[in-house]
Amino acid sequence: VVEDLRVGVSYKKLWKLLIDRNMNRQDLRDKTGISATSIAKLGKGANISTDILIRICEELHCDLTDIMELVDGPNPQAVKPKKPATTAE
């Protein structure tokens, strides 16, 4: 039996850190200059570039482990992949 060993990413730590600092997502955008799309990806637990993660850490004066963590199994926050379109024969 082969086990599914996928690992997901959770950004719950980032949202908790923002609350602790009395910040919201718009404040994070304003301070870091990251796009609304990137904020949305973070909210969904989707993949995001390390450049953006580093920019967040620099602005919040924290480490990557302060804003994200790896979780076992598929990420429950991640966007479900779209099913491929079927072609009529």
Side-chain angles (χ1 to χ4, degrees), residues 26-47:
Q26 184 62 48
D27 296 331
L28 182 64
R29 281 189 62 205
D30 293 344
K31 286 183 171 278
T32 60
I34 62 177
S35 69
T37 302
S38 293
I39 294 289
K41 285 182 179 182
L42 287 165
K44 294 175 183 177
N47 289 333

Side-chain angles (χ1 to χ4, degrees), residues 43-77:
K44 294 175 183 177
N47 289 333
I48 195 150
S49 77
T50 51
D51 290 340
I52 291 172
L53 295 173
I54 290 169
R55 202 176 330 161
I56 292 169
C57 289
E58 287 174 343
E59 186 59 44
L60 297 179
H61 305 288
C62 65
D63 190 62
L64 285 172
T65 57
D66 296 325
I67 65 167
M68 63 180 283
E69 63 185 337
L70 299 178
V71 292
D72 290 335
N75 187 351
Q77 296 175 332

Side-chain angles (χ1 to χ4, degrees), residues 4-7 14-15 20 22 24 29 31 33 50 54 59-60 68 72 77-79 81 88:
D4 186 2
L5 300 176
R6 294 189 301 178
V7 175
L14 171 60
W15 310 127
D20 290 345
N22 295 317
N24 60 35
R29 281 189 62 205
K31 286 183 171 278
T50 51
I54 290 169
E59 186 59 44
L60 297 179
M68 63 180 283
D72 290 335
Q77 296 175 332
V79 177

